[in-house]
Amino acid sequence: MRRAVSEFNPPQNGNPTNSPAANPLLTGPILPILLRFSLPNMVAMLATALAAIAETSYVGQFGAPALAGMALVFPFVMLQNMMSAGAMGGGVSSAVSRALGAGDVGRANVLAVHALWIGITLGLFYMVLMELLGPTFMAILGGKGEALAQAVAYGEVAFVGSVFVWIVNTLSSVIRGSGNMKVPSVTLFAVALAQVLMGGALGLGWGPLPQWGMRGVAAGGVLANLCGALFLWSYLSSGRAKIQLQVRRTTLDRKHLIDILRVGAVACISPLQTVLTILILTRLVATLGTQALAGYGIGTRLEFLLVPIAFAVGVASVPLVGMAIGAGQIARARKAAWTAAAVATAVLESLGLIVTLAPDVWSSLYTQDPSVLASAASYLMWAGPFYGLFGLGLSLYFSSLGAGKAIGPVIAGTLRLLVVALGGALLSYWQSPAWMIFALVGAGMAVYGLSTVWIIKITPWGEATRPRE
């Protein structure tokens, strides 16, 4: 597809406004662009997190078994979102932005179609996997009785919509790769709002609607993502976007699939590591009693709101890094990565220190039980100071995807998983107190952040090329 005339650098007319050098993402000041990109992403990610919290509040009205069922199915919902939006989505944004940075819009258009088919295929695979084996997975996690039945009821409906989730996140990533953060952010915000409204209406039976319980709450998410998928598909096909989705005119080519998958497929290992780390820690803390588990749950709930901040900054760096790599501006790509890392670290470390010094500011929102508050305070005292390093690693993870170098952050995630797994085994053998497990959480975050920095420093991102005239 290199034969297609580039919108950025057409060889015939030499219009300077269309050259890569005129692209503001390749010439403008990095920090203002990064902050402008991060804010809409942050709003959209926080809206998605709040939608999940709203769903939990609806499910709470169905009783304790439904809440327990939601806890069983939630890791698989989270894994799907992390893989489609962050990992494979990062690979998609990386490929598109590198093509645009090289001045090849035709190739970027072709990559968008290949990304769509990858998203559809993986969405269908995830749907079939969870519909067939979801009950078994949730039983392995300890689900039984009514809790397992409620989890299965939610999953049977929710995972029918997996393909819509993958399409929404894939097409959002295509648009982000072009440097447009507004459209995907507004779309994801609208999807989250629709999920809250439709999930409540169908689950709780608002107005004349019947009360469908867990299935109704799940159906709200399916319908919301269906609407989001249709809108983004229409937007990219309409000619209004920088990237054009020309499905019928594009033939699948193995080299374009590989360009996306060589980053996205490797990056998908990272969400698996994250979920496995959470499961190991949850199992460790659960052996220490209800109060310890409740305190741990309050702490991790805060992290569920902090992660979107690092995600927003990291995703904002992908087009900056990717276009710079495509244009051969290696120094600018690295500067964008370190700038994003500094912003994410500063924000998350500030919030981490606040809850370390005043844990009840957060914990008292959920409980007044003195023993649970004490457990949550212990968790935040050991984990809070390391939130900045966690944000550092997560931001650099996305910047690495923009550079097409996914393996480094995956190695860092593996080191974190090993620290938690081996440390957890020793602490379990020694029957250690809760604070030592909480300290292990902080140690894992520190290992992840610092090892990511070291790996990125020693990983070459390509060779610089002379800018085009």
Side-chain angles (χ1 to χ4, degrees):
M1 291 298 168
R2 290 279 182 182
R3 65 181 181 271
V5 175
S6 169
E7 292 179 13
F8 283 96
N9 191 28
Q12 273 75 32
N13 59 26
N15 184 352
T17 63
N18 286 331
S19 68
N23 185 343
L25 297 189
L26 295 173
T27 59
I30 290 173
L31 182 59
I33 295 174
L34 184 71
L35 295 177
R36 190 173 75 247
F37 281 3
S38 298
L39 184 58
N41 285 335
M42 204 173 297
V43 171
M45 293 302 103
L46 289 174
T48 301
L50 292 174
I53 293 173
E55 271 197 343
T56 303
S57 71
Y58 297 154
V59 170
Q61 299 184 43
F62 305 143
L67 276 174
M70 195 67 177
L72 290 172
V73 75
F74 182 71
F76 302 102
V77 174
M78 181 175 69
L79 177 62
Q80 174 177 250
N81 287 331
M82 292 169 69
M83 292 179 73
S84 60
M88 191 60 70
V92 169
S93 293
S94 172
V96 169
S97 62
R98 281 184 281 113
L100 291 177
D104 196 340
V105 177
R107 185 166 185 269
N109 292 339
V110 171
L111 286 167
V113 176
H114 285 71
L116 174 62
W117 285 116
I118 290 172
I120 291 173
T121 301
L122 292 177
L124 291 173
F125 173 79
Y126 203 88
M127 177 191 74
V128 173
L129 179 69
M130 293 306 300
E131 292 294 338
L132 293 178
L133 298 179
T136 301
F137 293 154
M138 289 179 275
I140 291 173
L141 287 182
K144 56 186 177 181
E146 182 61 20
L148 180 58
Q150 293 284 358
V152 170
Y154 181 94
E156 284 178 344
V157 175
F159 294 117
V160 167
S162 289
V163 68
F164 305 138
V165 173
W166 277 86
I167 291 174
V168 166
N169 288 326
T170 298
L171 296 184
S172 293
S173 298
V174 167
I175 299 170
R176 289 194 192 101
S178 72
N180 183 339
M181 302 292 163
K182 181 178 179 181
V183 169
S185 296
V186 171
T187 302
L188 291 176
F189 183 88
V191 167
L193 180 61
Q195 182 176 345
V196 170
L197 295 176
M198 290 191 283
L202 297 173
L204 301 177
W206 292 348
L209 297 174
Q211 181 175 327
W212 289 348
M214 292 288 276
R215 289 183 174 84
V217 174
V222 172
L223 293 174
N225 279 287
L226 169 61
C227 293
L230 292 174
F231 169 75
L232 289 176
W233 193 318
S234 172
Y235 173 75
L236 284 169
S237 302
S238 67
R240 290 178 290 165
K242 183 180 295 184
I243 303 296
Q244 305 299 314
L245 193 63
Q246 301 167 342
V247 177
R248 294 183 179 180
R249 287 190 283 170
T250 303
T251 303
L252 290 182
D253 189 320
R254 182 171 174 268
K255 68 179 180 182
H256 297 305
L257 294 172
I258 290 175
D259 194 11
I260 295 171
L261 292 174
R262 71 181 180 84
V263 178
V266 174
C268 281
I269 298 172
S270 184
L272 292 170
Q273 294 170 328
T274 299
V275 170
L276 186 55
T277 301
I278 292 171
L279 293 176
I280 291 172
L281 291 169
T282 302
R283 184 64 179 257
L284 284 172
V285 177
T287 63
L288 300 176
T290 304
Q291 282 73 25
L293 185 59
Y296 171 77
I298 289 173
T300 54
R301 199 168 298 173
L302 173 61
E303 288 161 30
F304 183 59
L305 293 177
L306 293 179
V307 166
I309 298 174
F311 179 96
V313 176
V315 166
S317 75
V318 172
L320 282 167
V321 172
M323 289 192 188
I325 292 290
Q329 299 180 14
I330 308 303
R332 180 177 175 85
R334 286 192 173 275
K335 183 178 180 181
W338 296 122
T339 302
V343 172
T345 302
V347 174
L348 264 68
E349 185 63 19
S350 298
L351 295 173
L353 291 177
I354 290 173
V355 296
T356 300
L357 299 173
D360 288 355
V361 169
W362 172 254
S363 306
S364 61
L365 297 174
Y366 297 92
T367 184
Q368 298 299 321
D369 185 318
S371 59
V372 176
L373 288 173
S375 176
S378 177
Y379 177 88
L380 293 171
M381 181 180 72
W382 288 103
F386 299 99
Y387 283 168
L389 290 176
F390 179 66
L392 170 66
L394 191 58
S395 177
L396 288 174
Y397 163 76
F398 284 105
S399 296
S400 296
L401 299 188
K405 304 289 184 179
I407 190 65
V410 169
I411 293 173
T414 301
L415 293 175
R416 178 193 180 198
L417 179 58
L418 287 174
V419 166
V420 169
L422 296 177
L426 289 174
L427 294 181
S428 178
Y429 177 76
W430 292 333
Q431 297 183 334
S432 302
W435 72 265
M436 295 186 72
I437 297 176
F438 297 158
L440 180 64
V441 174
M445 292 180 180
V447 167
Y448 177 62
L450 295 175
S451 61
T452 302
V453 169
W454 177 72
I455 290 170
I456 287 178
K457 276 183 172 292
I458 65 172
T459 301
W461 276 12
E463 296 182 2
T465 59
R466 294 182 60 186
R468 305 181 207 187
E469 298 299 331

